[in-house]
Amino acid sequence: MEFDLQAALPQLLPKAIAWAEAQARRVTETGEALSEAGTVTARRVGVEHPELIRILLVEELPLPDEPSLRGAAVFTGLIGPHMAGLTLGHSILIVKGALDLRLFSHECRHVHQYEQHGSISVFLPVYLQQIATVGYANAPLEQDARAYEQ
Ligand SMILES: [Zn+2]
């Protein structure tokens, strides 16, 4: 049976936003600020406030505990073994060993997108709606991030 993300989205969104905001706070508290080179790259891909970015290296990307949210994340592949980065606001989670310029610049472009939308709670509904309707590869926000990879 296909998992219908679009149908599930209205119920999932408040939980997804709460989870994302909690993860973002954790990275804000424990992550590292950008180096000078990192700041240059972030600005190059459009980040307005690179000084707010924090990066946290993790063994694996965190999965939500809540069953329906966890299931959706796994089914959509948004958080899984083949994903090496996750950006939530100015917070960037990167799987240890996967940090390179291509991934870093891609995630920084997502930071720019969050800045444009204004907050996690505004960005996530737009982003997840795109994933639900056209899929990860064709989502305009993903295409934009790929276009800015360095
Ligand atoms: Zn992306």
Side-chain angles (χ1 to χ4, degrees):
M1 197 183 104
E2 279 281 292
F3 173 70
D4 189 345
L5 180 60
Q6 187 143 36
L9 211 46
Q11 286 187 319
L12 288 177
L13 264 175
K15 300 178 201 172
I17 290 167
W19 178 82
E21 288 175 340
Q23 292 298 320
R25 271 195 301 278
R26 182 167 75 91
V27 176
T28 299
E29 288 159 7
T30 59
E32 287 202 40
L34 297 187
S35 66
E36 265 184 62
T39 301
V40 169
T41 299
R43 283 199 199 284
R44 190 176 293 145
V45 302
V47 174
E48 195 175 342
H49 292 292
E51 76 278 5
L52 297 180
I53 292 180
R54 292 294 179 273
I55 296 188
L56 185 64
L57 298 179
V58 292
E59 297 294 338
E60 49 191 32
L61 295 180
L63 268 174
D65 291 325
E66 201 282 319
S68 65
L69 199 55
R70 190 182 185 94
V74 171
F75 270 108
T76 56
L78 272 180
I79 302 170
H82 60 289
M83 300 299 283
L86 178 66
T87 295
L88 304 164
H90 286 88
S91 299
I92 301 177
L93 293 135
I94 303 265
V95 173
K96 278 177 191 167
L99 182 56
D100 61 16
L101 180 59
R102 187 199 63 75
L103 181 62
F104 175 69
S105 55
H106 179 107
E107 299 306 326
C108 280
R109 184 62 183 178
H110 283 313
V111 172
H112 161 82
Q113 295 168 350
Y114 276 98
E115 288 181 335
Q116 293 293 299
H117 285 82
S119 69
I120 288 174
S121 62
V122 175
F123 175 85
L124 265 193
V126 176
Y127 179 78
L128 291 176
Q129 184 63 37
Q130 289 184 5
I131 302 290
T133 49
V134 297
Y136 180 78
N138 295 318
L141 287 163
E142 280 305 328
Q143 291 182 326
D144 176 72
R146 281 200 298 277
Y148 279 82
E149 289 175 1
Q150 308 282 297

